[in-house]
Amino acid sequence: MLIKAIIVDDDQKSRELIQTFCEVYGENKLQIVDLCNSVDTAIISIEKSKPDLVFLDIDMPKKNGFELINHFAEINFEIVFVTGHANQFTKAIEISALNYLMKPINPLNIKAIIERFEDKILLSDSINRIEILKNNLKSDKKSIVFPNNDGFTVAEISEIRYCETSNGDGKCKIMLKNESITVSKSLSTLFQLLPHHTFLKVSASAIINKNFIKSLDSKKFVLVMKNDYQIKVSEKFYTKTSLMHALES
């Protein structure tokens, strides 16, 4: 099957570079059917050529890449996001388990994406994850949605008591009001999507919700949560004084 692809990027050199990498690593597998320099031209091109794959730059003037997603009531193509720097958008993309490329682009990453697409087109799964991404990008979001093998898990932000990671396994345990869930995301990635006026990262392995703190054991430098669970605060992150200020703000 020949994969039809569109490249959307306001920078001509970036468009041409992605095209070159695709031609080198996608020979006889992938065909670039259009190069677009804006969201508006990309929408017209997508509706006309109906691509299988869209390389979509996030950071474009006038309209960014996410506005293209919002234009379509149904996404029936795979998306690879492209960005020049990590930010809350890339964290939301990571949480939603979607593909993205960082500039300067490593051609081997494009090779890997083409190979994954060729082996198995996960279109229905991708559509589900786009909806997850839309939720996680909402400015007034009340929940975070995590994809899993069976579909997705929803964590209500107001019910998150604390989050912990251990053993460097890339997984994070989220303690909710009545249950705990484990997600395959780093603590730092998760922290980017939580409201920082409510949540504090108190060590490299723990995030706490200030609303669920019961007390501070200043001798052990440990926060006692309302369920009596204790979380150690790292002295690399806070002094006792700065922790008190952070908890009060």
mmCIF file of all heavy atoms in Angstrom, residues 189-220:
data_model
loop_
_atom_site.group_PDB
_atom_site.id
_atom_site.type_symbol
_atom_site.label_atom_id
_atom_site.label_comp_id
_atom_site.label_asym_id
_atom_site.label_seq_id
_atom_site.Cartn_x
_atom_site.Cartn_y
_atom_site.Cartn_z
ATOM 1 N N THR A 189 6.066 14.958 32.708
ATOM 2 C CA THR A 189 5.059 15.133 31.660
ATOM 3 C C THR A 189 3.696 15.379 32.270
ATOM 4 O O THR A 189 2.953 16.271 31.859
ATOM 5 C CB THR A 189 5.023 13.899 30.747
ATOM 6 O OG1 THR A 189 6.280 13.775 30.072
ATOM 7 C CG2 THR A 189 3.920 14.025 29.700
ATOM 8 N N LEU A 190 3.351 14.575 33.278
ATOM 9 C CA LEU A 190 2.056 14.731 33.945
ATOM 10 C C LEU A 190 1.943 16.095 34.619
ATOM 11 O O LEU A 190 0.897 16.753 34.542
ATOM 12 C CB LEU A 190 1.882 13.616 34.975
ATOM 13 C CG LEU A 190 0.618 13.661 35.833
ATOM 14 C CD1 LEU A 190 -0.634 13.616 34.964
ATOM 15 C CD2 LEU A 190 0.609 12.512 36.827
ATOM 16 N N PHE A 191 3.005 16.545 35.258
ATOM 17 C CA PHE A 191 2.982 17.806 36.001
ATOM 18 C C PHE A 191 2.659 18.993 35.094
ATOM 19 O O PHE A 191 1.999 19.944 35.515
ATOM 20 C CB PHE A 191 4.325 18.020 36.702
ATOM 21 C CG PHE A 191 4.380 19.236 37.583
ATOM 22 C CD1 PHE A 191 3.464 19.409 38.608
ATOM 23 C CD2 PHE A 191 5.339 20.210 37.389
ATOM 24 C CE1 PHE A 191 3.500 20.534 39.423
ATOM 25 C CE2 PHE A 191 5.385 21.338 38.190
ATOM 26 C CZ PHE A 191 4.467 21.499 39.208
ATOM 27 N N GLN A 192 3.107 18.932 33.849
ATOM 28 C CA GLN A 192 2.859 20.025 32.906
ATOM 29 C C GLN A 192 1.373 20.235 32.633
ATOM 30 O O GLN A 192 0.945 21.337 32.282
ATOM 31 C CB GLN A 192 3.587 19.760 31.584
ATOM 32 C CG GLN A 192 5.090 19.867 31.673
ATOM 33 C CD GLN A 192 5.554 21.271 31.982
ATOM 34 O OE1 GLN A 192 4.976 22.238 31.514
ATOM 35 N NE2 GLN A 192 6.601 21.398 32.766
ATOM 36 N N LEU A 193 0.551 19.184 32.814
ATOM 37 C CA LEU A 193 -0.870 19.293 32.523
ATOM 38 C C LEU A 193 -1.725 19.541 33.763
ATOM 39 O O LEU A 193 -2.938 19.685 33.655
ATOM 40 C CB LEU A 193 -1.364 18.020 31.826
ATOM 41 C CG LEU A 193 -0.852 17.782 30.410
ATOM 42 C CD1 LEU A 193 -1.582 16.611 29.773
ATOM 43 C CD2 LEU A 193 -1.024 19.016 29.535
ATOM 44 N N LEU A 194 -1.095 19.613 34.922
ATOM 45 C CA LEU A 194 -1.834 19.869 36.159
ATOM 46 C C LEU A 194 -1.767 21.353 36.508
ATOM 47 O O LEU A 194 -0.742 22.006 36.251
ATOM 48 C CB LEU A 194 -1.243 19.036 37.305
ATOM 49 C CG LEU A 194 -1.443 17.526 37.200
ATOM 50 C CD1 LEU A 194 -0.595 16.804 38.243
ATOM 51 C CD2 LEU A 194 -2.912 17.150 37.361
ATOM 52 N N PRO A 195 -2.828 21.914 37.098
ATOM 53 C CA PRO A 195 -2.806 23.332 37.486
ATOM 54 C C PRO A 195 -1.786 23.581 38.599
ATOM 55 O O PRO A 195 -1.882 23.000 39.678
ATOM 56 C CB PRO A 195 -4.245 23.586 37.963
ATOM 57 C CG PRO A 195 -4.799 22.243 38.295
ATOM 58 C CD PRO A 195 -4.132 21.266 37.388
ATOM 59 N N HIS A 196 -0.824 24.449 38.334
ATOM 60 C CA HIS A 196 0.290 24.638 39.269
ATOM 61 C C HIS A 196 -0.100 25.433 40.508
ATOM 62 O O HIS A 196 0.669 25.482 41.469
ATOM 63 C CB HIS A 196 1.469 25.297 38.547
ATOM 64 C CG HIS A 196 2.113 24.397 37.541
ATOM 65 N ND1 HIS A 196 3.252 24.740 36.847
ATOM 66 C CD2 HIS A 196 1.788 23.148 37.104
ATOM 67 C CE1 HIS A 196 3.593 23.764 36.032
ATOM 68 N NE2 HIS A 196 2.714 22.791 36.172
ATOM 69 N N HIS A 197 -1.281 26.056 40.518
ATOM 70 C CA HIS A 197 -1.720 26.734 41.733
ATOM 71 C C HIS A 197 -2.260 25.730 42.748
ATOM 72 O O HIS A 197 -2.411 26.060 43.932
ATOM 73 C CB HIS A 197 -2.798 27.771 41.407
ATOM 74 C CG HIS A 197 -4.044 27.193 40.818
ATOM 75 N ND1 HIS A 197 -4.177 26.956 39.473
ATOM 76 C CD2 HIS A 197 -5.201 26.776 41.391
ATOM 77 C CE1 HIS A 197 -5.368 26.430 39.233
ATOM 78 N NE2 HIS A 197 -6.016 26.318 40.379
ATOM 79 N N THR A 198 -2.507 24.498 42.308
ATOM 80 C CA THR A 198 -3.045 23.470 43.197
ATOM 81 C C THR A 198 -2.034 22.358 43.469
ATOM 82 O O THR A 198 -2.008 21.798 44.564
ATOM 83 C CB THR A 198 -4.321 22.843 42.588
ATOM 84 O OG1 THR A 198 -5.263 23.881 42.334
ATOM 85 C CG2 THR A 198 -4.946 21.820 43.529
ATOM 86 N N PHE A 199 -1.195 22.063 42.481
ATOM 87 C CA PHE A 199 -0.275 20.937 42.598
ATOM 88 C C PHE A 199 1.173 21.409 42.725
ATOM 89 O O PHE A 199 1.585 22.364 42.068
ATOM 90 C CB PHE A 199 -0.403 20.017 41.384
ATOM 91 C CG PHE A 199 -1.704 19.252 41.355
ATOM 92 C CD1 PHE A 199 -2.843 19.823 40.804
ATOM 93 C CD2 PHE A 199 -1.791 17.975 41.879
ATOM 94 C CE1 PHE A 199 -4.045 19.142 40.780
ATOM 95 C CE2 PHE A 199 -2.982 17.269 41.858
ATOM 96 C CZ PHE A 199 -4.120 17.852 41.308
ATOM 97 N N LEU A 200 1.922 20.712 43.573
ATOM 98 C CA LEU A 200 3.341 20.987 43.759
ATOM 99 C C LEU A 200 4.152 19.731 43.456
ATOM 100 O O LEU A 200 3.779 18.630 43.875
ATOM 101 C CB LEU A 200 3.643 21.390 45.205
ATOM 102 C CG LEU A 200 3.197 22.755 45.711
ATOM 103 C CD1 LEU A 200 3.627 22.911 47.166
ATOM 104 C CD2 LEU A 200 3.777 23.872 44.866
ATOM 105 N N LYS A 201 5.244 19.915 42.728
ATOM 106 C CA LYS A 201 6.201 18.822 42.561
ATOM 107 C C LYS A 201 7.211 18.952 43.684
ATOM 108 O O LYS A 201 8.009 19.888 43.710
ATOM 109 C CB LYS A 201 6.884 18.917 41.196
ATOM 110 C CG LYS A 201 7.739 17.705 40.856
ATOM 111 C CD LYS A 201 8.279 17.805 39.438
ATOM 112 C CE LYS A 201 9.097 16.572 39.095
ATOM 113 N NZ LYS A 201 9.697 16.684 37.737
ATOM 114 N N VAL A 202 7.152 18.043 44.667
ATOM 115 C CA VAL A 202 7.950 18.190 45.890
ATOM 116 C C VAL A 202 9.228 17.364 45.865
ATOM 117 O O VAL A 202 10.054 17.466 46.781
ATOM 118 C CB VAL A 202 7.111 17.830 47.134
ATOM 119 C CG1 VAL A 202 5.969 18.816 47.313
ATOM 120 C CG2 VAL A 202 6.588 16.400 47.061
ATOM 121 N N SER A 203 9.392 16.550 44.840
ATOM 122 C CA SER A 203 10.624 15.785 44.661
ATOM 123 C C SER A 203 10.635 15.268 43.231
ATOM 124 O O SER A 203 9.687 15.465 42.475
ATOM 125 C CB SER A 203 10.702 14.610 45.647
ATOM 126 O OG SER A 203 9.780 13.601 45.299
ATOM 127 N N ALA A 204 11.707 14.582 42.867
ATOM 128 C CA ALA A 204 11.787 14.018 41.522
ATOM 129 C C ALA A 204 10.810 12.864 41.343
ATOM 130 O O ALA A 204 10.565 12.420 40.219
ATOM 131 C CB ALA A 204 13.207 13.539 41.242
ATOM 132 N N SER A 205 10.219 12.409 42.434
ATOM 133 C CA SER A 205 9.338 11.240 42.357
ATOM 134 C C SER A 205 7.927 11.493 42.886
ATOM 135 O O SER A 205 7.124 10.562 42.965
ATOM 136 C CB SER A 205 9.955 10.065 43.125
ATOM 137 O OG SER A 205 10.155 10.404 44.479
ATOM 138 N N ALA A 206 7.578 12.752 43.233
ATOM 139 C CA ALA A 206 6.251 12.973 43.818
ATOM 140 C C ALA A 206 5.667 14.350 43.492
ATOM 141 O O ALA A 206 6.369 15.363 43.500
ATOM 142 C CB ALA A 206 6.303 12.798 45.324
ATOM 143 N N ILE A 207 4.367 14.344 43.209
ATOM 144 C CA ILE A 207 3.554 15.552 43.048
ATOM 145 C C ILE A 207 2.423 15.453 44.056
ATOM 146 O O ILE A 207 1.834 14.387 44.235
ATOM 147 C CB ILE A 207 2.945 15.645 41.636
ATOM 148 C CG1 ILE A 207 4.040 15.738 40.568
ATOM 149 C CG2 ILE A 207 2.005 16.840 41.523
ATOM 150 C CD1 ILE A 207 3.511 15.551 39.153
ATOM 151 N N ILE A 208 2.094 16.560 44.718
ATOM 152 C CA ILE A 208 1.002 16.528 45.696
ATOM 153 C C ILE A 208 -0.049 17.590 45.361
ATOM 154 O O ILE A 208 0.251 18.623 44.760
ATOM 155 C CB ILE A 208 1.515 16.726 47.146
ATOM 156 C CG1 ILE A 208 2.285 18.066 47.291
ATOM 157 C CG2 ILE A 208 2.405 15.567 47.565
ATOM 158 C CD1 ILE A 208 1.443 19.223 47.738
ATOM 159 N N ASN A 209 -1.282 17.289 45.750
ATOM 160 C CA ASN A 209 -2.380 18.246 45.667
ATOM 161 C C ASN A 209 -2.468 18.952 47.012
ATOM 162 O O ASN A 209 -2.682 18.313 48.048
ATOM 163 C CB ASN A 209 -3.688 17.506 45.351
ATOM 164 C CG ASN A 209 -4.863 18.445 45.139
ATOM 165 O OD1 ASN A 209 -4.896 19.563 45.661
ATOM 166 N ND2 ASN A 209 -5.849 17.981 44.395
ATOM 167 N N LYS A 210 -2.296 20.265 47.008
ATOM 168 C CA LYS A 210 -2.275 21.016 48.273
ATOM 169 C C LYS A 210 -3.571 20.862 49.064
ATOM 170 O O LYS A 210 -3.570 20.979 50.292
ATOM 171 C CB LYS A 210 -1.997 22.499 47.996
ATOM 172 C CG LYS A 210 -0.604 22.752 47.462
ATOM 173 C CD LYS A 210 -0.279 24.237 47.419
ATOM 174 C CE LYS A 210 -0.924 24.939 46.269
ATOM 175 N NZ LYS A 210 -0.467 26.345 46.143
ATOM 176 N N ASN A 211 -4.655 20.585 48.389
ATOM 177 C CA ASN A 211 -5.948 20.459 49.068
ATOM 178 C C ASN A 211 -6.068 19.190 49.909
ATOM 179 O O ASN A 211 -6.996 19.070 50.708
ATOM 180 C CB ASN A 211 -7.089 20.493 48.044
ATOM 181 C CG ASN A 211 -7.182 21.822 47.327
ATOM 182 O OD1 ASN A 211 -6.919 22.871 47.914
ATOM 183 N ND2 ASN A 211 -7.544 21.790 46.054
ATOM 184 N N PHE A 212 -5.152 18.255 49.707
ATOM 185 C CA PHE A 212 -5.237 16.989 50.435
ATOM 186 C C PHE A 212 -4.106 16.821 51.451
ATOM 187 O O PHE A 212 -3.861 15.729 51.947
ATOM 188 C CB PHE A 212 -5.228 15.808 49.455
ATOM 189 C CG PHE A 212 -6.508 15.677 48.679
ATOM 190 C CD1 PHE A 212 -6.610 16.190 47.396
ATOM 191 C CD2 PHE A 212 -7.620 15.058 49.232
ATOM 192 C CE1 PHE A 212 -7.792 16.090 46.671
ATOM 193 C CE2 PHE A 212 -8.806 14.948 48.529
ATOM 194 C CZ PHE A 212 -8.892 15.472 47.244
ATOM 195 N N ILE A 213 -3.438 17.925 51.798
ATOM 196 C CA ILE A 213 -2.384 17.866 52.809
ATOM 197 C C ILE A 213 -2.999 17.992 54.196
ATOM 198 O O ILE A 213 -3.837 18.860 54.446
ATOM 199 C CB ILE A 213 -1.346 18.992 52.599
ATOM 200 C CG1 ILE A 213 -0.618 18.801 51.268
ATOM 201 C CG2 ILE A 213 -0.332 19.017 53.746
ATOM 202 C CD1 ILE A 213 0.290 19.948 50.907
ATOM 203 N N LYS A 214 -2.568 17.124 55.074
ATOM 204 C CA LYS A 214 -3.054 17.146 56.455
ATOM 205 C C LYS A 214 -2.101 17.930 57.355
ATOM 206 O O LYS A 214 -2.520 18.774 58.152
ATOM 207 C CB LYS A 214 -3.210 15.710 56.967
ATOM 208 C CG LYS A 214 -3.684 15.577 58.402
ATOM 209 C CD LYS A 214 -3.795 14.096 58.767
ATOM 210 C CE LYS A 214 -4.246 13.891 60.209
ATOM 211 N NZ LYS A 214 -4.345 12.446 60.542
ATOM 212 N N SER A 215 -0.797 17.651 57.217
ATOM 213 C CA SER A 215 0.185 18.325 58.071
ATOM 214 C C SER A 215 1.585 18.178 57.497
ATOM 215 O O SER A 215 1.806 17.421 56.538
ATOM 216 C CB SER A 215 0.151 17.740 59.484
ATOM 217 O OG SER A 215 0.498 16.365 59.479
ATOM 218 N N LEU A 216 2.508 18.895 58.084
ATOM 219 C CA LEU A 216 3.918 18.807 57.718
ATOM 220 C C LEU A 216 4.723 18.364 58.927
ATOM 221 O O LEU A 216 4.648 18.996 59.989
ATOM 222 C CB LEU A 216 4.441 20.157 57.215
ATOM 223 C CG LEU A 216 5.966 20.275 57.025
ATOM 224 C CD1 LEU A 216 6.444 19.363 55.899
ATOM 225 C CD2 LEU A 216 6.371 21.725 56.750
ATOM 226 N N ASP A 217 5.464 17.298 58.788
ATOM 227 C CA ASP A 217 6.409 16.869 59.820
ATOM 228 C C ASP A 217 7.737 17.530 59.486
ATOM 229 O O ASP A 217 8.482 17.059 58.616
ATOM 230 C CB ASP A 217 6.532 15.341 59.816
ATOM 231 C CG ASP A 217 7.426 14.822 60.951
ATOM 232 O OD1 ASP A 217 8.332 15.565 61.370
ATOM 233 O OD2 ASP A 217 7.219 13.684 61.394
ATOM 234 N N SER A 218 8.020 18.637 60.152
ATOM 235 C CA SER A 218 9.202 19.434 59.797
ATOM 236 C C SER A 218 10.508 18.738 60.141
ATOM 237 O O SER A 218 11.528 18.997 59.511
ATOM 238 C CB SER A 218 9.130 20.797 60.480
ATOM 239 O OG SER A 218 9.064 20.649 61.881
ATOM 240 N N LYS A 219 10.494 17.855 61.129
ATOM 241 C CA LYS A 219 11.727 17.134 61.497
ATOM 242 C C LYS A 219 12.129 16.143 60.408
ATOM 243 O O LYS A 219 13.292 16.040 60.034
ATOM 244 C CB LYS A 219 11.532 16.416 62.822
ATOM 245 C CG LYS A 219 11.413 17.350 64.022
ATOM 246 C CD LYS A 219 11.292 16.566 65.323
ATOM 247 C CE LYS A 219 11.184 17.503 66.515
ATOM 248 N NZ LYS A 219 11.058 16.752 67.798
ATOM 249 N N LYS A 220 11.156 15.403 59.909
ATOM 250 C CA LYS A 220 11.437 14.430 58.858
ATOM 251 C C LYS A 220 11.332 15.055 57.473
ATOM 252 O O LYS A 220 11.720 14.443 56.491
ATOM 253 C CB LYS A 220 10.454 13.254 58.948
ATOM 254 C CG LYS A 220 10.560 12.449 60.223
ATOM 255 C CD LYS A 220 9.534 11.317 60.202
ATOM 256 C CE LYS A 220 9.586 10.487 61.480
ATOM 257 N NZ LYS A 220 8.558 9.414 61.453
#
